[in-house]
Amino acid sequence: MATVPVYPWRLAPDGLATRRQLRAAGLRPGGQDVVAQVESPRRRRTPLTAFLYRVDRAKPVRPMTPAKTAALERANAARRTCTACRADAGYVIPVSLGMCVPCAYPEYESS
């Protein structure tokens, strides 16, 4: 396995981008290998590393299909549904509680 060049943070050459930068531009790596990486030093910890991909070889993001949209809506609805009262809480229920706040703390419910 060949090593890739390492650049200091914010000093990568033009034509290279991270996954997030590609996504913001409506692109994806598209199966290409990592071309380089950037590193940001941190005190007493391993440096932050971001992999870089070539922008000219990136492909457009695949469009969202109706089936994917429906699946995403169902998944988000499940995250908002209380396991105790089965009502839509209107917010994402915290995993630490496992139920909506009124069901988790009935003693604080206002009457």
Side-chain angles (χ1 to χ4, degrees):
M1 180 175 184
T3 60
V4 295
V6 179
Y7 298 103
W9 202 255
R10 298 182 187 269
L11 295 177
D14 291 336
L16 300 180
T18 63
R19 279 182 178 270
R20 284 188 178 189
Q21 291 169 335
L22 288 176
R23 188 64 169 195
L27 301 170
R28 62 186 168 97
Q32 64 175 302
D33 292 330
V34 174
V35 179
Q37 67 183 31
V38 290
E39 287 187 351
S40 174
R42 300 189 299 175
R43 293 184 192 189
R44 298 186 199 110
R45 292 186 284 177
T46 59
L48 288 175
T49 302
F51 299 116
L52 299 173
Y53 302 91
R54 288 180 47 180
V55 176
D56 60 344
R57 294 184 60 199
K59 296 180 180 177
V61 175
R62 293 184 187 111
M64 189 71 114
T65 64
K68 283 184 181 181
T69 304
L72 188 60
E73 288 173 2
R74 287 193 307 272
N76 285 329
R79 293 178 66 200
R80 291 188 313 266
T81 304
C82 176
T83 57
C85 65
R86 299 308 235 178
D88 186 349
Y91 54 87
V92 175
I93 295 173
V95 178
S96 60
L97 294 179
M99 58 184 74
C100 63
V101 174
C103 290
Y105 302 107
E107 64 272 8
Y108 294 110
E109 188 174 334
S110 60
S111 344

